[in-house]
């Protein structure tokens, strides 16, 4: 005997999370008659649908009824399967659709059509027919693809929120406030903990720490994958599970024996999705596994076409993969991405021998992209290229890794890394750029213009990072290589680099002639971008040495920027003019120059220029007697330097002005008041600091994300304290139960975030802040 209220099954496990999705689904179901929950396999669509159906049961006086179509293999049996949900012993002498419509007529019913994707067309026809015939019928469907029926409303079921492995809050630590526990909640970790308790019974720990958080993140927050991983705790520890996730499809097996075969392993769930794809979609899914991050249609057409897929077919195939929830389109850009689990599955589906060719094509595409960006560096597209290459960081890393691991490809790696230096400067990832340059230079010592460019770029970045000894070594190598190449442009780069090194040492008598010679060579060969850069350095050297040519050279810099629409470079030039006016004592014009610089282009892609402007603007405000704002701007500048990963350029001479400004402010404000306003400025976001500098109403204050302590993650603060004890990376790794490589990565990130170059600097810094760490 069937219940009058429906046939929903009782829950056998707890329902975890999904508050936002449940709220949104209820809103949509209240205003549409057909709601389809879509998403990749294993995302929990069916479970969410059943939970939603149970919650809205009171709104449907004639019941909520489930038709599970997963076991239906032939489309002609769809109507019979749905009818069986209502009347198991219906009259077989009449057409099932006629019986269905008669049964539902004048009833207010919610019909749940679960697992529609393998019978998409007949499900769509059935839903369309029933909705037209039964005015009070509502349908809630689950499918990896939309039904495509008029009036259908879609809700994509996303992965569960995965925890930050370095945030202690999600681990359920004792002593936390309720607010902290709520702020650090992770549905993925909650699910893992719940299913682990079910798997282990009384042996289950009450709390799961960082390793469990890493498992949830590595599994993309996919519920099925998390449940299968938690079940493995019967035979493995969390650490062992994490180590084996490289072969996740072998590990994540052994689900419920009562479930359908495709729901018992992660591999089977994705096999089911793959088999539902057309041949072209299967081919592209596999090939797209070469992209580690997001990608656009241009990249797909260049890298993934040929041998079964033409460029003309790409758009339609991509649309099919989006419809089937394999690809996700990013909201703000015409770019696509895959969950890492789907990407790894796609890699398993590559044809024999296809992986190597794909990786090379991927590298070739991003090499061409980087070289195109370099040719358009000093143009109106300058800022746009900064944004584009910032987006492409995962793909650029993969391209560089291919060059440095594939025999015979190191020269191309040198070329890519050397061409990226200025864009890394805009993004503030100087330490990462130096990492790639160092590896590329060590991989191929063949004398060439490409190697010279890489030496030059690494030397520039070393000086900006405050690593003067490394910069001098690179300068000497660059000079020697330029002489052996007998190339005028190579000589120009060497002269400019030598001049920059002298500038950082306050040796203006040596810097100016070197930069003059480099400028002449770049002008002769029509290198506009290099001409601007050398003019900038020469004008700065003249400014700091009281050379009267400084203003004329600075104005020529600005004219070049305006002539070529180079907004990023214009920001630096306006800072230079502001510095010149400040040296002359014209603080009013200084402020105008610096505020114009901060209003030019997109400051988010020009962190170094922002840091420089905030710094000199603080000096100007201090000179004018506005001590409070000066201290705040100085604190904001310090945070900006740390974020960029560099230090105040010009070293001696400019640091002298910085020291004078601090001394003046301490005297006027008192030490305690000065420190308070510095901290206030350091707590500002970049946008808030710029608004403060422009005298605009600030955005709503946020957390002190750039505070020199809170900028480090909890794990990084642990590592910093261990560095103060003199521990090596291997010793730190042993104490924290992590790999030496991970420990090394933490130390490198600490150096980059704090603007340091040695472990001794970390130790000194940490010792002074032990109570806060």
């Amino acid at each position: 005997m069937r219940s009058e209220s429906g046939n929903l099954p009782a829950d056998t496990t707890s329902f975890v999370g999904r508050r936002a999705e449940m709220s949104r689904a209820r809103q949509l179901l209240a205003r549409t008659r057909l709601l389809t929950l879509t998403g990749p396999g294993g995302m929990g669509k069916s479970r969410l649908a059943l939970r939603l159906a149970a919650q809205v049961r009171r709104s449907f006086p004639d019941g909520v009824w489930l038709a599970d179509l997963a076991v239906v293999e032939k489309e002609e049996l769809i109507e019979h399967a749905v009818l069986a949900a209502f009347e198991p012993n219906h009259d077989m002498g009449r057409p099932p659709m006629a019986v269905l419509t008669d049964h539902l007529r004048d009833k207010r019913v919610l019909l749940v059509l679960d697992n529609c994707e393998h019978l998409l067309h007949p499900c769509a026809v059935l839903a369309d027919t029933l909705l037209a015939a039964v005015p009070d019928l509502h349908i809630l469907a689950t499918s990896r693809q939309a039904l495509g029926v008029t009036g259908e409303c879609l809700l994509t079921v996303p992965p569960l929120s995965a925890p930050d492995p370095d945030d202690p809050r999600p681990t359920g630590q004792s002593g936390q406030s309720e607010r902290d526990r709520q702020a650090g909640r992770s549905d993925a970790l909650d699910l893992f903990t719940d299913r682990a308790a079910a798997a282990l019974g009384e042996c289950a720990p009450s709390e799961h720490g960082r390793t469990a958080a890493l498992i949830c993140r590595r599994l993309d927050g996919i519920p099925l994958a998390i449940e299968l991983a938690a079940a493995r705790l019967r035979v493995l520890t969390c650490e062992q599970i994490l180590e084996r996730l490289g072969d996740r499809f072998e590990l994540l097996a052994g689900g419920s024996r009562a479930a359908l075969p495709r729901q018992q392993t992660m591999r089977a769930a994705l096999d089911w999705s793959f088999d539902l794809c057309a041949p072209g979609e299967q081919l592209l899914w596999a090939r797209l596994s070469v992209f580690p991050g997001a990608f656009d249609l241009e990249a797909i057409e260049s890298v993934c076409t040929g041998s079964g897929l033409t460029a003309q077919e790409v758009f339609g195939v991509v649309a099919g993969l989006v419809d089937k929830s394999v690809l996700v389109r990013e909201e703000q850009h015409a770019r696509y991405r895959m969950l890492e689990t789907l990407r790894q599955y796609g890699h398993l589906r590559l044809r024999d021998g296809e992986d190597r060719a794909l990786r090379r094509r991927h590298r070739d595409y991003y090499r061409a992209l980087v070289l195109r960006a370099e040719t358009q560096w000093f143009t109106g597209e300058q800022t746009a290229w900064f944004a584009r290459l910032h987006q492409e960081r995962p793909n650029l890393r993969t391209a560089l890794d291919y060059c440095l691991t594939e025999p015979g490809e190191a020269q191309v790696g040198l070329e890519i890394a050397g061409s990226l230096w200025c864009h890394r400067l805009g993004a503030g990832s100087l330490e990462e750029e130096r990492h790639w340059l160092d590896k590329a230079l060590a991989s191929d010592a063949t004398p060439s213009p490409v190697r010279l460019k890489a030496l030059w770029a690494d030397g520039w970045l070393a000086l900006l990072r405050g690593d003067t000894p490394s910069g001098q070594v690179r300068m000497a190598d660059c000079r020697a290589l330029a002489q052996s190449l007998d190339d005028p442009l190579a000589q120009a780069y060497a002269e400019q680099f030598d001049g920059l090194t002298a500038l950082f040492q306050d040796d203006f008598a040596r810097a100016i002639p070197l930069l003059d010679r480099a400028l002449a060579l770049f002008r002769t060969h029509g290198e506009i971008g290099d001409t601007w850069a050398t003019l900038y350095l020469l004008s700065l050297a003249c400014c700091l040495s009281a050379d009267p040519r400084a203003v004329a050279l600075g104005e020529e810099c600005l004219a070049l920027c305006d002539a070529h629409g180079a907004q990023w470079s214009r920001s630096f030039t306006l800072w230079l003019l502001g510095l010149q006016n400040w040296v002359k004592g014209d603080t009013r014009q200084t402020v105008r120059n610096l505020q114009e610089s901060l209003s030019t282009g997109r400051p988010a892609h020009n962190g170094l220029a922002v840091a420089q402007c905030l710094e000199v603007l603080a000096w100007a405000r201090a000179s004018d007697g506005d001590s409070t704002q000066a201290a705040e701007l100085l604190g904001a500048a310090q945070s900006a330097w740390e974020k960029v990963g560099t230090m105040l350029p010009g070293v001696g001479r400019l640091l002298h002005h910085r020291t004078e400004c601090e001394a003046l402010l301490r005297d006027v404000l008192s030490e305690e008041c000065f420190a308070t306003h510095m901290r206030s400025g350091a707590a500002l976001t970049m946008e808030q600091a710029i608004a403060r500098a422009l005298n605009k109403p600030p955005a709503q204050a946020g957390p002190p994300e750039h505070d020199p302590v809170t900028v480090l993650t909890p794990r990084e603060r642990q590592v910093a304290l261990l560095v103060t004890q003199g521990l090596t990376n291997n010793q730190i790794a042993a104490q924290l139960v992590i790999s030496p490589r991970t420990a090394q990565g933490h130390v490198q990130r600490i150096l980059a975030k704090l603007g340091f170059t040695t472990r001794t600097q970390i130790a000194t810094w940490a010792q002074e802040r032990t109570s806060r760490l």
Side-chain angles (χ1 to χ4, degrees):
M1 192 82 178
R2 295 218 150 182
S3 166
E4 291 296 323
S5 61
N7 65 340
L8 294 183
D11 286 338
T12 56
T13 57
S14 59
F15 185 84
V16 177
R18 297 296 192 193
R19 289 189 178 129
E21 292 85 356
M22 188 69 69
S23 174
R24 180 62 177 157
R26 292 188 69 157
Q27 291 173 6
L28 293 174
L29 196 58
R31 65 176 193 242
T32 185
R33 295 179 60 211
L34 172 58
L35 173 62
T36 303
L37 307 183
T38 65
M43 206 57 71
K45 301 181 294 296
S46 296
R47 191 67 195 276
L48 179 61
L50 292 176
R51 186 72 169 186
L52 174 64
Q55 286 193 0
V56 301
R57 194 193 311 256
R58 291 184 179 180
S59 299
F60 297 94
D62 297 303
V64 176
W65 303 86
L66 168 66
D68 187 354
L69 306 180
V71 295
V72 180
E73 297 181 356
K74 296 182 180 180
E75 61 181 70
E76 58 267 24
L77 297 179
I78 285 281
E79 295 171 1
H80 292 281
V82 174
L83 182 54
F86 295 98
E87 294 188 1
N89 301 311
H90 64 274
D91 180 5
M92 299 294 291
R94 297 177 60 205
M97 182 58 74
V99 178
L100 261 177
T101 52
D102 285 347
H103 177 79
L104 295 174
R105 202 178 311 278
D106 300 325
K107 288 186 172 69
R108 182 171 174 79
V109 164
L110 174 64
L111 170 62
V112 181
L113 296 177
D114 196 19
N115 298 295
C116 298
E117 57 273 341
H118 61 304
L119 298 167
L120 205 63
H121 178 70
C123 283
V125 171
L126 179 139
D128 191 49
T129 302
L130 286 178
L131 290 170
V134 184
D136 283 335
L137 172 68
H138 286 65
I139 296 177
L140 173 61
T142 72
S143 175
R144 301 183 192 188
Q145 186 174 0
L147 299 185
V149 175
T150 301
E152 178 184 29
C153 188
L154 299 178
L155 177 63
T156 300
V157 180
L160 294 173
S161 59
D164 179 355
D166 287 318
D167 185 345
R169 293 178 302 184
T171 64
Q173 292 182 348
S174 59
Q176 288 179 303
S177 68
E178 180 61 26
R179 179 178 179 181
D180 279 346
R181 280 193 292 270
Q182 293 300 323
R185 289 191 67 86
S186 160
D187 287 348
L189 190 59
D190 286 348
L191 178 64
F192 183 89
T193 302
D194 183 87
R195 299 307 188 255
L200 298 175
E202 294 181 357
C203 300
S206 60
E207 298 174 0
H208 287 272
R210 184 173 184 274
T211 305
L214 281 168
I215 291 171
C216 294
R217 185 167 285 264
R218 287 278 302 278
L219 293 176
D220 300 311
I222 298 175
L224 175 60
I226 291 169
E227 291 190 340
L228 293 172
R232 282 297 186 215
L233 286 171
R234 297 189 189 100
V235 292
L236 298 172
T237 65
C238 272
E239 288 74 16
Q240 289 172 322
I241 291 173
L242 183 62
E243 289 173 2
R244 286 164 171 77
L245 283 185
D247 188 8
R248 65 186 64 187
F249 300 111
E250 181 69 24
L251 175 72
L252 302 181
S256 169
R257 293 188 181 94
L260 291 171
R262 71 169 188 264
Q263 296 170 340
Q264 293 181 17
T265 72
M266 198 67 220
R267 175 67 185 260
L270 294 180
D271 283 342
W272 174 255
S273 291
F274 193 80
D275 291 341
L276 292 173
C277 293
E281 293 168 345
Q282 293 177 344
L283 185 65
L284 186 57
W285 181 349
R287 290 179 179 176
L288 289 174
S289 65
V290 76
F291 294 101
F295 41 86
D296 57 21
L297 281 174
E298 178 187 311
I300 299 171
E301 290 167 354
S302 179
V303 176
C304 299
T305 52
S307 184
L309 185 67
T310 67
Q312 291 74 27
E313 294 172 316
V314 162
F315 178 78
V317 177
V318 167
L321 290 176
V322 172
D323 287 343
K324 292 179 173 65
S325 304
V326 176
L327 288 181
V328 178
R329 188 180 74 84
E330 293 187 336
E331 291 184 5
Q332 296 179 346
H333 310 282
R335 291 169 65 81
Y336 308 90
R337 58 180 172 83
M338 272 194 292
L339 293 175
E340 179 62 19
T341 299
L342 272 65
R343 188 177 83 88
Q344 289 193 20
Y345 176 84
H347 186 264
L348 294 176
R349 287 290 196 158
L350 283 173
R351 298 170 179 173
D352 290 341
E354 198 171 23
D355 178 49
R356 189 173 181 180
L358 267 177
R359 291 182 68 211
R360 184 181 180 87
R361 292 186 69 179
H362 177 275
R363 189 282 312 274
D364 289 345
Y365 174 78
Y366 286 100
R367 171 182 178 246
L369 188 76
V370 168
L371 295 181
R372 193 162 87 233
E374 188 176 35
T375 62
Q376 297 180 22
W377 179 71
F378 199 74
T379 70
E381 299 299 312
Q382 193 177 54
T383 303
W385 275 115
F386 276 108
R388 174 72 185 276
L389 294 181
H390 184 73
Q391 283 182 329
E392 300 291 4
R393 284 176 300 169
N395 286 305
L396 294 174
R397 290 176 186 130
T398 294
L400 283 163
D401 183 68
Y402 171 84
C403 293
L404 299 177
T405 56
E406 191 73 14
E409 300 291 347
Q411 273 278 313
V412 181
L414 272 175
E415 183 181 37
I416 295 173
S419 298
L420 275 173
W421 80 275
C422 61
H423 297 287
R424 296 291 195 198
L425 188 62
S429 48
L430 307 191
E431 194 60 34
E432 181 183 355
E433 173 65 1
R434 289 203 66 203
H435 163 78
W436 291 114
L437 283 165
D438 184 62
K439 291 189 69 173
L441 286 164
S443 298
D444 191 310
T446 306
S448 66
V450 168
R451 180 173 179 79
L452 183 136
K453 179 70 175 295
L455 287 167
W456 173 86
D458 191 50
W460 261 79
L461 298 177
L463 292 173
L464 289 171
R465 291 279 293 124
D467 186 1
T468 303
S470 294
Q472 290 175 327
V473 170
R474 292 303 194 207
M475 187 270 291
D477 291 344
C478 187
R479 172 73 80 178
L481 182 54
Q483 290 172 353
S484 70
L485 292 174
D486 193 26
D487 179 347
L489 268 181
Q491 187 63 35
Y493 281 115
E495 296 276 5
Q496 186 211 62
F497 188 6
D498 205 351
L500 176 69
T501 306
L503 175 60
F504 268 73
Q505 296 171 332
D506 287 344
D507 188 353
F508 305 114
R510 186 164 176 270
I512 289 174
L514 286 166
L515 293 171
D516 268 326
R517 289 198 293 271
L519 179 61
L521 287 169
F522 284 132
R523 277 178 165 158
T524 298
H525 289 82
E527 298 292 329
I528 302 299
D530 291 313
T531 295
W532 170 82
T534 312
L535 270 171
Y536 174 84
L537 294 175
L538 182 57
S539 179
L540 178 58
C542 290
C543 170
L544 297 177
S545 62
D547 187 313
R549 292 188 299 159
V551 174
L553 291 167
E555 290 175 349
E556 186 179 353
C557 267
L558 188 62
L560 268 181
C561 295
D562 291 340
H564 294 274
Q567 294 296 297
W568 186 85
S569 298
R570 191 174 195 273
S571 296
F572 280 99
T573 305
L574 287 166
W575 169 81
L576 176 61
L577 295 176
L579 177 66
Q580 291 172 357
N581 282 306
W582 184 80
V583 169
K584 291 190 300 183
D586 187 352
T587 56
R588 179 174 296 182
Q589 187 57 44
T590 296
V591 171
R592 290 197 192 102
N593 291 142
L594 298 177
Q595 289 183 334
E596 185 180 355
S597 175
L598 291 171
S599 303
T600 298
R602 295 165 66 181
H605 298 293
N606 207 350
L608 181 56
V610 169
Q612 293 181 169
C613 287
L614 293 174
E615 181 75 39
V616 179
L617 194 56
W619 305 348
R621 292 301 190 197
S623 297
D624 285 343
D626 191 349
S627 303
T628 298
Q629 187 182 38
E632 289 181 357
L633 291 174
L634 208 60
Q638 186 61 43
S639 285
W641 292 122
E642 291 166 358
K643 183 176 181 181
V644 172
T646 184
M647 58 185 295
L648 184 63
V651 191
R653 192 62 58 90
L654 290 182
L655 283 176
H656 173 70
H657 294 312
R658 170 45 170 304
T659 303
E660 285 186 337
C661 178
E662 287 186 356
L664 173 63
L665 293 174
R666 282 190 169 96
D667 184 55
V668 172
L669 295 173
S670 82
E671 182 68 36
E672 183 179 354
C673 188
F674 169 72
T676 298
H677 288 299
M678 279 280 288
R679 285 194 297 270
S680 176
L684 298 173
T685 64
M686 180 182 288
E687 292 74 16
Q688 290 169 343
I690 291 172
R692 184 80 171 101
L694 298 177
N695 296 320
K696 293 182 178 179
Q700 186 174 358
E705 60 187 59
H706 298 315
D707 181 276
V709 170
T710 59
V711 74
L712 301 184
T713 66
R715 176 65 80 180
E716 288 165 353
R717 294 200 286 274
Q718 282 182 304
V719 171
L721 285 173
L722 294 176
V723 169
T724 67
Q725 301 173 23
L727 272 60
T728 65
N729 289 340
N730 286 340
Q731 291 169 328
I732 292 172
Q735 185 150 338
L736 297 179
V737 197
I738 58 178
S739 70
R741 186 173 181 180
T742 299
Q744 180 186 20
H746 284 311
V747 172
Q748 289 176 342
R749 283 190 289 276
I750 293 168
L751 290 168
K753 288 182 177 182
L754 300 180
F756 295 157
T757 58
T758 67
R759 297 170 77 93
T760 302
Q761 289 173 304
I762 294 176
T764 302
W765 177 88
Q767 285 171 345
E768 294 173 350
R769 296 163 176 80
T770 301
S771 62
R772 296 180 65 195
L773 293 172

